[in-house]
Amino acid sequence: LKNNVQEAGDIESNWSTYFIKSSAIKFALTALIFYAFFGTVLSDQVYPKVSLTPSDRAAMEWVARNVPPQSQFLVLTGETEAFADAVAEWFPVLSGSYSIVTIQGYEWMPDKVFLTKLDEYYALQACMDKTSACVDEWALKENHPFEYVLVSRDGLSVNENSLLTSLRTADGYRLTHEEKDVYIFEKRP
C-alpha cells in the first residue's frame, strides 16, 4: 500500500512537471485564451447588427395593427449578408404580414428553393442604392407582386439618388408610415 501511495505521488509530481514544462500545453492554453478573447470581441461587433432597433419593432407593430394580415411586403435593408438581416427575418412574425424575400424557413424546401430565395434576396437588396424603378423591375422579373415596401435604413445615409428619395417622389408609391429610419410605402395600383 505504501508503494502505491508513493507511486501515485510520483505520477502526480510527473504530471505537474510535464504540465508546467510542456510547450504543447502552453500553446493550447494560449490559443484557448485568444479564442475566447476574440470571440468576445467579435460577438460585441456582430450582435448589434443582428438585432432589431426600436424603430424596426415599432414599424412592425404598426403593420400588425394597421395593414391587412398576410399583406405582401418587400423588405429592404441594404444588408449584404442575408443571414444577418434581423429585419427581414423577424418581419413576418412580428408584423403578421408576408415578406417576399425572407429566406428563413426555406432551408428545408426541396428543389433548391432556398438558393432561389437567396438569389432573390440579394438582387432586391441591391436596389437599396438605386431607385424605385429597380424595385419594380425586380418584382416583374421575379414575378412577385407586392403591396408594400418597408425600407429600414439604420445607419445608412440618404442621398439624392437613394431608393428612399425615389419612393417618396414616385407616382406609384405612397408613404403610409414613418419611424426613425424605417419607412413603409404602399404600392398604388
Side-chain angles (χ1 to χ4, degrees):
L1 183 65
K2 199 174 197 180
N3 285 342
N4 288 341
V5 171
Q6 186 176 359
E7 283 179 22
D10 290 344
I11 291 172
E12 198 173 293
S13 174
N14 289 340
W15 271 103
S16 300
T17 303
Y18 176 76
F19 187 79
I20 291 170
K21 292 183 179 181
S22 171
S23 299
I25 290 180
K26 288 178 185 175
F27 177 77
L29 286 174
T30 303
L32 182 63
I33 290 168
F34 276 107
Y35 176 77
F37 174 74
F38 287 114
T40 302
V41 170
L42 183 60
S43 70
D44 284 348
Q45 292 174 353
V46 170
Y47 179 71
K49 293 181 181 179
V50 293
S51 58
L52 296 172
T53 67
S55 298
D56 292 326
R57 287 191 301 275
M60 291 178 202
E61 289 171 15
W62 182 88
V63 170
R65 287 191 316 269
N66 296 288
V67 173
Q70 294 303 310
S71 294
Q72 305 287 307
F73 271 79
L74 296 182
V75 176
L76 286 109
T77 61
E79 178 60 57
T80 58
E81 177 51 56
F83 299 100
D85 191 340
V87 176
E89 181 174 356
W90 284 102
F91 179 82
V93 175
L94 298 178
S95 71
S97 287
Y98 179 72
S99 169
I100 294 170
V101 295
T102 294
I103 62 168
Q104 285 77 12
Y106 287 94
E107 301 92 338
W108 318 111
M109 302 295 288
D111 302 324
K112 300 182 181 181
V113 172
F114 178 72
L115 296 177
T116 300
K117 291 302 268 184
L118 200 56
D119 289 343
E120 290 175 356
Y121 171 87
Y122 287 122
L124 181 63
Q125 296 310 315
C127 291
M128 191 69 158
D129 296 326
K130 298 179 181 157
T131 66
S132 61
C134 179
V135 172
D136 294 333
E137 290 166 10
W138 178 90
L140 188 62
K141 177 183 177 246
E142 300 298 339
N143 193 26
H144 285 306
F146 62 96
E147 300 158 292
Y148 295 90
V149 176
L150 180 142
V151 178
S152 176
R153 60 171 199 86
D154 183 38
L156 297 175
S157 64
V158 177
N159 59 41
E160 292 303 316
N161 297 322
S162 73
L163 176 63
L164 186 57
T165 302
S166 178
L167 287 168
R168 284 179 182 266
T169 60
D171 289 334
Y173 295 90
R174 179 178 67 88
L175 181 64
T176 58
H177 185 73
E178 181 177 341
E179 295 285 337
K180 179 183 177 253
D181 292 335
V182 183
Y183 305 85
I184 300 171
F185 295 88
E186 183 175 11
K187 184 159 176 53
R188 294 180 181 165

